[in-house]
Amino acid sequence: MAEAGPDALLRRWTHSHEEAPAGLMVLRPSTWPFPPSRGRRSYEFDAGGKLTLGGPGPTDRYAENMGRWRTLPNGQIELVPAGRPALRMTIFEVEDDKLVVRIEAQP
């Protein structure tokens, strides 16, 4: 995992699927100049542990789901969306304009 404190995550990150290496997800700040797309997932991390997940909903319209996030002792991030199973995020790279992660279901 990349060595970066949780403060590095505090913003809305949007999936840049054009850049995704195999098995990983590249996220960029929501202000990034993305090419047109039918829909992109986003993850917004608040300093108080609030999580906002965004993306295409069941009718392809943008929808948000709220939840919580926290840093785990092993350095991973736990994502707990409301009404959905918890996920784990492993961070491989974090920069001002790029976040590379793998997101998996909780074991």
Side-chain angles (χ1 to χ4, degrees):
M1 174 172 151
E3 291 299 320
D7 287 352
L9 297 175
L10 301 181
R11 68 180 76 184
R12 181 178 293 263
W13 294 95
T14 301
H15 186 198
S16 182
H17 49 80
E18 298 86 358
E19 300 181 71
L24 299 177
M25 179 183 285
V26 174
L27 303 164
R28 296 285 188 172
S30 61
T31 56
W32 188 259
F34 294 104
S37 174
R38 281 200 64 171
R40 295 182 185 274
R41 300 220 175 272
S42 66
Y43 303 80
E44 184 171 357
F45 300 95
D46 180 271
K50 177 181 160 190
L51 172 67
T52 305
L53 299 171
T59 62
D60 282 344
R61 289 185 177 191
Y62 181 80
E64 288 187 343
N65 187 22
M66 307 308 280
R68 307 287 305 159
W69 73 279
R70 68 184 177 109
T71 304
L72 298 173
N74 63 5
Q76 291 181 314
I77 306 296
E78 180 181 53
L79 309 176
V80 185
R84 296 188 193 163
L87 304 168
R88 283 203 179 158
M89 174 185 279
T90 302
I91 299 173
F92 290 91
E93 181 181 345
V94 61
E95 299 174 15
D96 285 341
D97 66 351
K98 186 177 185 180
L99 177 62
V100 181
V101 301
R102 181 175 53 229
I103 299 177
E104 314 169 324
Q106 284 271 37

